[in-house]
Amino acid sequence: MGNPSTVSNGGKENFLLKAFIAGNSCAVVAAILNPFDVAKIRLQNQSSSLRYTGMINAIVTIGKEEGLRGLSAGVTASMIREILYSSVRIGGYEPIRKALSTPDSNPADASPIIKLFSALISGGVGAAIVNPFDLIKTRFQSILPGEVSPYRHTFHALQAIYRRDKVSGLYRGWTVTSSRAAVLTSSQLGSYDSIKHNLLMNICGMDDGITLHLVASMCAGLITTTATIPCNM
């Protein structure tokens, strides 16, 4: 039997490694997709006088008028947000699931309710923590050509918003953001884990492999898309 301290340290290292990989990989993806995020914010905020006619048109127009600076607006805040958010959302799921499971049982075989609730917590908490960076990212991306940014950089924005509105300013709208993230993570991670272990492996008898992961991912993707429709309206 292994040394308890060794097992404990191994679990801690495993959690930290997963959190590190999840946070940094999502940050890289966020940086790559930032032009689409900028275009989305501009499209949502434009008035009756249409400046952009669609996603591709918005990206092309922003690139021509503002260059790389416009397409990368808010990217620093976006990457910091993803590092923190995804580390908690993905890295925190298994420790929460383990804490809620019956002692000495295999957390992977926990009930779907425990898995869905564990993901609900990790997603909601992660989004609540990073709300200031989500707010700042959106503000940077909303600035149109010719407008002067009130902030020099991400941390100046944090300081300026805190000085003016205190903590309540940094956490404006956090309940909506956190609720959406909780639903998304629960329907994504919780449903994937439940479908994979509780249904496909334990009931259908599927072996671990590419087919299992593919089927579980497709089902979880459908559930996530359906569950988050009300949050996106």
Side-chain angles (χ1 to χ4, degrees):
M1 184 174 178
N3 188 323
S5 62
T6 303
V7 174
S8 176
N9 289 336
K12 183 178 180 181
E13 290 174 1
N14 189 42
F15 159 69
L16 293 175
L17 178 61
K18 286 185 177 181
F20 176 81
I21 293 173
N24 285 275
S25 59
C26 288
V28 172
V29 173
I32 295 172
L33 298 179
N34 196 74
F36 292 93
D37 211 13
V38 175
K40 181 193 74 173
I41 296 298
R42 297 283 183 88
L43 285 167
Q44 290 175 338
N45 290 347
Q46 68 180 349
S47 60
S48 55
S49 56
L50 297 181
R51 185 182 184 88
Y52 313 111
T53 58
M55 179 67 73
I56 301 302
N57 174 261
I59 292 175
V60 172
T61 303
I62 294 169
K64 287 181 178 179
E65 295 180 351
E66 305 169 55
L68 182 60
R69 185 182 183 87
L71 293 173
S72 62
V75 69
T76 302
S78 181
M79 292 184 72
I80 295 173
R81 175 194 181 278
E82 283 301 330
I83 289 174
L84 298 175
Y85 170 56
S86 296
S87 294
V88 175
R89 183 176 81 95
I90 300 175
Y93 168 67
E94 289 187 5
I96 295 172
R97 184 189 65 181
K98 182 178 180 180
L100 296 177
S101 299
T102 305
D104 301 322
S105 67
N106 182 4
D109 293 326
S111 71
I113 292 177
I114 288 178
K115 292 178 178 180
L116 292 170
F117 187 65
S118 299
L120 191 81
I121 295 173
S122 68
V125 170
I129 292 172
V130 301
N131 193 79
F133 294 101
D134 208 12
L135 177 71
I136 291 167
K137 172 184 75 75
T138 302
R139 291 194 179 183
F140 273 118
Q141 293 174 344
S142 300
I143 299 171
L144 296 172
E147 295 181 350
V148 179
S149 173
Y151 315 117
R152 294 193 300 272
H153 49 73
T154 299
F155 295 102
H156 175 248
L158 276 173
Q159 185 182 48
I161 295 171
Y162 178 76
R163 281 180 175 176
R164 187 181 61 197
D165 301 320
K166 304 303 180 185
V167 175
S168 62
L170 293 171
Y171 281 88
R172 183 173 292 126
W174 77 270
T175 52
V176 176
T177 304
S178 185
S179 298
R180 182 187 181 280
V183 172
L184 184 147
T185 307
S186 181
S187 59
Q188 185 184 63
L189 294 183
S191 65
Y192 171 82
D193 197 5
S194 299
I195 292 168
K196 177 185 172 185
H197 285 97
N198 301 73
L199 177 61
L200 298 180
M201 295 181 73
N202 294 349
I203 296 178
C204 299
M206 289 184 67
D207 295 324
D208 195 4
I210 295 177
T211 303
L212 174 68
H213 292 280
L214 183 61
V215 173
S217 297
M218 290 176 65
C219 293
L222 177 61
I223 293 172
T224 303
T225 303
T226 305
T228 54
I229 287 175
C231 302
N232 293 327
M233 294 180 68

